[in-house]
Amino acid sequence: MADLFYLYDDTEETSTRFVSFMAESTRFDLAITTTNRFYGKKLVINVQNGRSAIIGHDDLEEEGYLEYAFNLNEQEAEELKGFLETVI
């Protein structure tokens, strides 16, 4: 372990919201973590497949971001975006 070069090693109090909902085409099980680390953005984790992304309002407007980050089709991404707009 002495050979490791740490870039950072911090401990922080966070808040995590667990939410599950059924959209028109799919079910979403998410963990949404609020932390000071990501400049106001939230860490969103899809509990079903472990995919995660750091998301802010600007990311929701970026074309194809949710599709890529969570491996979703266009309709699923629109449904997720609709929900995330209310919590991000």
Side-chain angles (χ1 to χ4, degrees), residues 1 8-9 14 18 20 23 46 49 51 54 58 65 80 85:
M1 286 285 212
Y8 57 84
D9 183 2
T14 64
F18 294 94
S20 178
N46 179 336
N49 62 15
R51 293 182 72 106
I54 298 167
D58 57 330
Y65 183 73
L80 179 58
E85 286 176 329

Side-chain angles (χ1 to χ4, degrees), residues 17-85:
R17 176 181 177 185
F18 294 94
V19 62
S20 178
F21 64 94
M22 188 67 198
E24 188 172 322
S25 65
T26 192
R27 175 182 167 160
F28 290 97
D29 293 293
L30 306 173
I32 303 166
T33 300
T34 302
T35 174
N36 292 322
R37 174 149 317 266
F38 305 121
Y39 306 101
K41 295 185 177 191
K42 299 193 187 276
L43 174 61
V44 180
I45 303 165
N46 179 336
V47 178
Q48 293 177 344
N49 62 15
R51 293 182 72 106
S52 63
I54 298 167
I55 300 179
H57 292 287
D58 57 330
D59 301 304
L60 294 177
E61 299 307 318
E62 187 174 329
E63 187 173 335
Y65 183 73
L66 293 177
E67 289 92 326
Y68 172 76
F70 294 103
N71 193 30
L72 302 172
N73 64 40
E74 190 175 334
Q75 180 182 353
E76 293 168 335
E78 279 300 313
E79 293 170 345
L80 179 58
K81 178 182 176 183
F83 169 75
L84 291 176
E85 286 176 329

